[in-house]
Amino acid sequence: MDEEPLFVRSLLIDVLSSTEALTCDAVLLSGGLDTSIASETLKTIIPQHSESRLRTAITVTIDPRKNKIAQEHGLFVQEPQDILYAQKIATKLGLSHHVLEPTLDELLTGECMDLCIRVLGTFDGMELRNAVVIAFSLIHAKKLGCTRVLTGDGADELFSGYSFMHSMSDVGLRQYIRGMARTMAFCAQPLAKELGIEVWSPYLDQRVIDYAVSERGEPRALKVGEFQGVIHGKLVLRRAFPEVISAARKKEPIECGCGTTVLPKLAQLLVSDAEFKEEAQRALATHNVVLRDKEQMLYFRSFARIILDRGLMPGKRYRYGSGTCRDCKFSLDLGSRFCKVCGLYPATAEDTPAPG
């Protein structure tokens, strides 16, 4: 093994030998590279693995057969892949594996969607398709009595897990990763806090962040390259832990791996054009919000009920005036052109006057 993978292996073993790691009693096991490395290292590689409290794995997967409308219209191009890898990891580690199979309707209208909207303050489909899966898992972890949950948050952002990062120059990639290290945030933390439990990720340990943004080596040579005949991101992690089950698994967003990626197309079937037109007009007249598509409309129904109808503001945001989104009129983060409330990009506009 080359010097850099050896360094990263040693670094993560040290991090996963910490009290924070050893006291994790459950893992949100997507079966991807990041949770594969974290859970397998914690249970089999570190010297203190016998002290680990990790006993439970939780995986959410959508069973096409339980979702009649989506199944009948051929929305599932392939079976969700997370469960295939997660089962192998859980079996290898002797974990009690809780496989959750919510219907798409449960995710769209159940308590986990309300939790996401209340805590995250958004009706952005890109955010909620992923967050609702995390929320469903954490609610189950809470019911099981788990108190600290292991996740893989941060690895994609710090080690070039996303495909759009692969074509960046060395300088551009280094700058992007440094920016992500300053601004990245993950839904699991606030959702868990609301439920009265904790989440923890080894990749968010300051030692790992410091390494990822350091000048050691060339970013692309370490983070993007060939592994087992295929070009992957997170190359140094794969080379550092080649023995883990998901070492060669390609990156899949949560929504793809578990099956919620079909929600945009499902919304097209659930909502007629006439219904969308009517509700979009009502959202504009009542709340001064522009709805762009049917999926967003489904989430906005909950957002309006939980946030707007009660006169609440998501986080510390304000409405109208300078620095607000032209579609939903909520304030943007300082210097950002992306609206975290409705998902519009670019969202900047001239000062948005309040109605009336």
Side-chain angles (χ1 to χ4, degrees), residues 228-279:
Q228 295 188 13
V230 178
I231 299 299
H232 289 283
K234 298 184 283 193
L235 178 64
V236 73
L237 294 179
R238 300 176 193 275
R239 293 173 63 197
F241 295 92
E243 75 273 34
V244 302
I245 284 174
S246 297
R249 185 184 178 189
K250 72 174 184 177
K251 163 66 182 175
E252 282 191 303
I254 294 173
E255 63 181 82
C256 296
C258 76
T260 58
T261 190
V262 305
L263 285 174
K265 290 183 178 178
L266 179 62
Q268 294 294 323
L269 298 172
L270 296 177
V271 181
S272 69
D273 291 344
E275 184 180 7
F276 173 70
K277 181 178 179 180
E278 179 181 348
E279 288 206 32

Side-chain angles (χ1 to χ4, degrees), residues 53-71:
R53 296 180 188 174
L54 185 61
R55 301 290 184 271
T56 302
I58 300 172
T59 303
V60 172
T61 187
I62 304 300
D63 185 343
R65 294 164 297 184
K66 295 182 179 180
N67 293 272
K68 185 177 180 181
I69 295 176
Q71 177 82 324

Side-chain angles (χ1 to χ4, degrees), residues 153-308:
D153 289 338
D156 289 317
E157 289 75 11
L158 297 173
F159 293 94
S160 302
Y162 299 112
S163 58
F164 68 83
M165 301 170 76
H166 298 178
S167 60
M168 292 180 177
S169 67
D170 288 341
V171 172
L173 182 57
R174 193 185 300 280
Q175 291 175 340
Y176 186 81
I177 290 173
R178 286 176 174 171
M180 289 301 298
R182 291 192 302 269
T183 62
M184 61 184 177
F186 303 94
C187 68
Q189 282 85 352
L191 291 172
K193 183 178 180 180
E194 180 74 6
L195 293 169
I197 59 178
E198 298 180 16
V199 295
W200 183 84
S201 170
Y203 308 103
L204 298 181
D205 185 280
Q206 193 58 51
R207 290 169 288 177
V208 178
I209 294 174
D210 289 345
Y211 168 77
V213 302
S214 71
E215 298 292 336
R216 291 177 64 103
E218 294 296 325
R220 292 194 75 260
L222 290 174
K223 296 169 182 173
V224 181
E226 184 177 314
F227 184 82
Q228 295 188 13
V230 178
I231 299 299
H232 289 283
K234 298 184 283 193
L235 178 64
V236 73
L237 294 179
R238 300 176 193 275
R239 293 173 63 197
F241 295 92
E243 75 273 34
V244 302
I245 284 174
S246 297
R249 185 184 178 189
K250 72 174 184 177
K251 163 66 182 175
E252 282 191 303
I254 294 173
E255 63 181 82
C256 296
C258 76
T260 58
T261 190
V262 305
L263 285 174
K265 290 183 178 178
L266 179 62
Q268 294 294 323
L269 298 172
L270 296 177
V271 181
S272 69
D273 291 344
E275 184 180 7
F276 173 70
K277 181 178 179 180
E278 179 181 348
E279 288 206 32
Q281 290 174 341
R282 185 162 57 248
L284 185 60
T286 304
H287 298 293
N288 201 12
V289 169
V290 175
L291 297 180
R292 298 185 296 275
D293 57 64
K294 295 178 180 179
E295 183 194 18
Q296 188 189 48
M297 188 202 79
L298 294 178
Y299 304 139
F300 182 74
R301 289 173 177 172
S302 298
F303 183 86
R305 170 174 53 84
I306 294 168
I307 303 292
L308 295 179

